[in-house]
Amino acid sequence: MNHDDNLRIHGLKATLPRMKVLDVLREERAHLSADEIHRRLLLQGEDIGLATVYRVLGQLEQVGIVRRNVFDAGRAVYEIEHGGHHDHLVCVHCGRVEEFFDPQIEALQHEVARNRGFSLVEHRLAMFGICGDCGSTPGRPGSQPVRRRPGSGGSMG
């Protein structure tokens, strides 16, 4: 489905800023902050302000086209919502986010909830560690871990 159809289905007009933000998210296939999306748009020669990027992301999130995640220090990152459940691995050094799905982890989460009298309707899992690229040079100069708020061990965005 193209951008125009996807936006129309969700009751939004296919404005240039919406189209361009979706293009960046689809092309990068990554978890990007509003600032990163804005920088990419500027590099492409687009004259779209940061406030517009935030507004567009909020609209796209409201209608379920994009998903907002908060992994570190309150920094929100966005991804295209594909409808399939997945969890995340987040590098505390470089901020890299990797998606994964593991049926055993899914089953265990449902079992834990059931054993405590819960019936899961939604859940999100984010695990924080050091990726292979950063782990191969643990003491490299200038490599500071991404700072997270105390108690922000999961993602709810």
Side-chain angles (χ1 to χ4, degrees), residues 27-125:
E27 288 168 11
E28 296 291 327
R29 300 184 63 79
H31 298 74
L32 300 173
S33 69
D35 289 330
E36 291 167 327
I37 293 168
H38 182 245
R39 270 193 299 277
R40 282 167 173 78
L41 290 170
L42 292 176
L43 288 171
Q44 294 172 6
E46 299 296 337
D47 186 23
I48 298 172
L50 182 58
T52 300
V53 171
Y54 274 105
R55 186 174 54 255
V56 165
L57 288 168
Q59 294 165 343
L60 296 174
E61 179 187 6
Q62 278 185 326
V63 298
I65 295 174
V66 301
R67 175 180 279 194
R68 178 180 179 268
N69 294 289
V70 180
F71 295 126
D72 60 60
R75 178 179 166 259
V77 294
Y78 299 85
E79 63 180 306
I80 296 289
E81 177 60 68
H82 295 291
H85 175 76
H86 61 268
D87 296 309
H88 297 93
L89 289 164
V90 182
C91 180
V92 298
H93 277 283
C94 68
R96 178 174 134 204
V97 178
E98 198 169 299
E99 297 176 357
F100 74 95
F101 176 82
D102 185 301
Q104 290 177 311
I105 290 174
E106 294 304 311
L108 183 58
Q109 289 176 95
H110 284 275
E111 180 182 334
V112 167
R114 192 172 42 257
N115 289 342
R116 287 167 176 75
F118 281 78
S119 175
L120 287 183
V121 293
E122 182 182 346
H123 69 278
R124 298 187 186 172
L125 173 66

Side-chain angles (χ1 to χ4, degrees), residues 93-94 130-131 133-144:
H93 277 283
C94 68
I130 300 170
C131 72
D133 291 341
C134 292
S136 61
T137 53
R140 71 178 199 260
S143 174
Q144 296 298 317

